[in-house]
Amino acid sequence: MARNAHPEETVNLILTVAYRLFMEKGYEHTSIQDIINHLGGLSKGAIYHHFKSKEDILIAVAEAMASESNQMLERIRDRTDLNGKEKLKTIFKESINRSVQNDIFTVAPDFHRNPKLLFSLLHDTVDNAAPDYLLPILKQGISDGSVETDYPEQLAELILLAANIWLNPMVFDNSAEESYCKFMVFRQMLQGFGLDIVDDEILERVIELTSVYQKRKG
């Protein structure tokens, strides 16, 4: 089949097929050839016209997932019925319980083998999520008295880096026990800032997602 005359349709097709295969086989066990075989005759050249590598395809899939997450963060940030601390608690509960989280952990990418994916996660956390979503909420919390800190910019980065990177079993290959210990430290750190915003329900979900990742990785 000739290359699609509509590049956006071609990209969407590649991402749809890749996402499905990543779900079924796991990222590490899916090859470029596997993706080609499910593209209805689209050539390898057509794929490499849009993506330099399988890792670039994974990053594009992850960015699509991040876009959905950012919409959720924006919606909570802009609510008028919650104070700053309540918004932070809502973000953690809704983020960890999104069904797409199961998809992400089922893909089970190895960040050690995919440094561009790790950089993409770091970039989105520090340059986008922290300043655009968490920082305004912390500033609101300072204003309404529910959050106490003199360094909201740095605290926004710290919370998200700890949650998205340090606690992420796909980055450090944490076992369920290691995830439990890290979560307890994370909770104690937040409580030190007067932010009692993560509970046992969230802990159970973290352990569940860690088990999903470890099972698929194994």
Side-chain angles (χ1 to χ4, degrees):
M1 184 174 80
R3 183 183 301 161
N4 196 319
H6 304 284
E8 185 175 344
E9 292 181 8
T10 302
V11 169
N12 288 337
L13 175 61
I14 294 169
L15 295 182
T16 299
V17 168
Y19 175 79
R20 177 168 56 81
L21 289 173
F22 292 163
M23 290 297 103
E24 294 173 356
K25 304 178 65 172
Y27 172 74
E28 302 298 342
H29 300 291
T30 300
S31 67
I32 286 287
Q33 189 60 52
D34 290 330
I35 297 172
I36 293 169
N37 291 344
H38 290 79
L39 288 175
L42 202 65
S43 68
K44 182 179 289 189
I47 288 185
Y48 284 113
H49 177 75
H50 298 286
F51 300 101
K52 295 179 181 179
S53 65
K54 186 180 73 164
E55 186 177 19
D56 284 345
I57 296 174
L58 175 63
I59 290 172
V61 169
E63 286 176 347
M65 292 180 173
S67 177
E68 178 191 339
S69 173
N70 289 342
Q71 291 175 13
M72 179 269 296
L73 292 173
E74 181 177 4
R75 174 176 54 79
I76 296 172
R77 180 197 64 192
D78 295 341
R79 285 179 62 172
T80 59
D81 60 325
L82 302 175
N83 65 27
K85 182 177 178 179
E86 290 167 339
K87 286 182 179 180
L88 291 175
K89 188 169 186 175
T90 301
I91 281 176
F92 274 99
K93 281 197 176 293
E94 291 201 18
S95 294
I96 199 72
N97 286 315
R98 288 184 307 141
S99 60
V100 73
Q101 291 286 7
N102 289 73
D103 293 345
I104 294 169
F105 282 82
T106 298
V107 170
D110 184 342
F111 279 86
H112 295 271
R113 294 193 204 174
N114 304 283
K116 285 193 289 186
L117 180 62
L118 179 57
F119 177 80
S120 176
L121 178 60
L122 285 167
H123 169 76
D124 184 67
T125 297
V126 175
D127 294 341
N128 298 322
D132 293 344
Y133 305 109
L134 214 64
L135 178 58
I137 292 173
L138 288 173
K139 287 183 174 180
Q140 178 197 336
I142 293 170
S143 178
D144 65 33
S146 62
V147 175
E148 294 185 15
T149 180
D150 294 326
Y151 308 99
E153 293 89 351
Q154 291 73 27
L155 181 57
E157 290 185 5
L158 176 62
I159 290 174
L160 286 183
L161 284 171
N164 292 346
I165 308 297
W166 188 64
L167 278 170
N168 192 336
M170 293 184 290
V171 176
F172 292 102
D173 197 23
N174 300 330
S175 65
E177 181 180 358
E178 289 168 334
S179 287
Y180 171 85
C181 294
K182 283 189 171 185
F183 181 89
M184 297 306 292
V185 170
F186 181 62
R187 180 156 69 178
Q188 289 173 2
M189 179 192 77
L190 291 175
Q191 289 172 340
F193 287 102
L195 298 175
D196 187 13
I197 57 176
V198 294
D199 55 23
D200 289 342
E201 179 185 342
I202 294 178
L203 170 60
E204 290 175 6
R205 179 66 170 150
V206 168
I207 300 303
E208 177 187 355
L209 290 173
T210 300
S211 298
V212 169
Y213 169 70
Q214 290 292 351
K215 181 179 179 180
R216 191 53 182 265
K217 177 175 173 286

